[in-house]
Amino acid sequence: MESNNPEIEYDLSHLCVVYKNGKVERFIGTEIVPPSPADPETGVGSKDIVIEPDTGISARLYKPKPTNQDQKLPLLVYFHGGGFFVQTAFSPTYQPFLNSLAAQANVIIVSVDYRRAPEHPLPIGYDDSWAAVKWVVSHSGGNGEEEWLRDCADFGRVFFGGDSSGANIAHNLAIRAGSDGLDGGKLVGLVLMHPYFWGKDPIGDETTDVAARTFQEKVWLSACPRSTGLDDPLINPVMDPKWPGMGCAKVLVVVAEKDVLKHRGWLYYEELRKSGWGGEAEIVETEGEEHVFYLEKPYCDKAKDLVKRVASFMKMI
């Protein structure tokens, strides 16, 4: 896999393939699982929809088992991770986690499938995700063809969320909601799980290993070849002059002790509170765990506890 920018010659194929006996066995993130009318463990229903046939923007919707037919449910627009290169909204990685979160938080979830790098370099992924958000909120006021949104969602309680690069997307769309508005919806909260942020200079106890930092640079510049670099506000939010105007009142940042990205999550939390934004920020760190462990081990006790914590955050708003 190479960048489509001729000035950048980064080969990142090892990020996206699984090797066996020296040969490519399969591409990471290509597996899919079908939606389910009712998940056996949670009772959550899911279905797939196409948002824009021309571009292929699509989504998987999750709706918890109804307990009150007249109750409108909060709405989470979720963006999957994968370094902007791999995974989709239909990957088996996400089904257990989003089923569990939909059930425990009692929210409708729209898990967005955006176009990925390198064939579709950023900002395409950001623009696709924003188009999906606008499609979602177009169902407010009883409009739109998707009944789960039109009839069941409370557009006064909209959340953005995501993991890793998807958390990066969620943050940048919250900035856009603050500047452009969210016609038909009110963004009330942001959930950033093990967010993918970086910067040119090491911070705190962050690694100073040249190879490790060069790797992070390669990933970012291959995903966003027209970027100004590692202090681009898209990857280093503390450099964004629009940050104080972020369009929500509450933010939850989730980090893991053994994740190389942990320090950027802590910096985000600390600097956001000092930015003049005026909202409330919380942070949760899971001891002894790696990056997105809750997706890799969704049934472990720490993953279950984390889902409960995120659900609690959403219920309190």
Side-chain angles (χ1 to χ4, degrees), residues 60 79 109 175-176 213 309:
R60 176 160 291 178
F79 307 97
I109 299 176
I175 296 292
R176 190 163 178 176
R213 299 194 67 81
R309 180 64 184 82

Side-chain angles (χ1 to χ4, degrees), residues 107-122:
V107 298
I108 294 172
I109 299 176
V110 179
S111 180
V112 177
D113 196 56
Y114 50 88
R115 288 174 291 176
R116 297 165 296 166
E119 294 84 359
H120 304 285
L122 296 173

Side-chain angles (χ1 to χ4, degrees), residues 2 36 54 80 90 166 181 183 207 223 226 246 258 270 277:
E2 296 181 355
S36 171
D54 292 344
H80 69 81
F90 318 113
D183 263 352
T207 181
R226 295 182 181 178
M246 187 163 61
K258 295 183 178 181
E270 291 164 355
W277 162 59

Side-chain angles (χ1 to χ4, degrees), residues 171-172 174-180 233-234 236-248 272 275-277:
H171 158 79
N172 280 293
I175 296 292
R176 190 163 178 176
S179 61
D180 296 1
L234 292 171
N236 190 354
V238 301
M239 306 298 289
D240 192 346
K242 294 182 179 179
W243 202 13
M246 187 163 61
C248 62
L272 178 61
S275 69
W277 162 59

Side-chain angles (χ1 to χ4, degrees), residues 31-46:
E31 306 96 331
I32 63 172
V33 291
S36 171
D39 175 62
E41 294 187 20
T42 63
V44 171
S46 56

Side-chain angles (χ1 to χ4, degrees), residues 28-29 31-34 39 44 46 60 62 78-84 86-102 109 111-114 116 161-167 193-194 291-292 294-299 307:
I28 292 172
E31 306 96 331
I32 63 172
V33 291
D39 175 62
V44 171
S46 56
R60 176 160 291 178
Y62 296 82
Y78 190 86
F79 307 97
H80 69 81
F84 304 108
V86 297
Q87 300 292 354
T88 73
F90 318 113
S91 301
T93 303
Y94 289 95
Q95 195 85 341
F97 168 64
L98 292 179
N99 274 331
S100 181
L101 183 58
I109 299 176
S111 180
V112 177
D113 196 56
Y114 50 88
R116 297 165 296 166
D163 61 280
S164 194
S165 57
M193 306 193 70
H194 301 184
H291 189 60
V292 297
Y294 54 89
L295 297 178
E296 304 297 333
K297 303 179 293 183
Y299 302 110
V307 170

Side-chain angles (χ1 to χ4, degrees), residues 286-304:
T286 307
E287 294 181 359
E289 294 294 347
E290 305 276 357
H291 189 60
V292 297
F293 75 92
Y294 54 89
L295 297 178
E296 304 297 333
K297 303 179 293 183
Y299 302 110
C300 74
D301 288 342
K302 289 181 180 178
K304 292 178 181 178

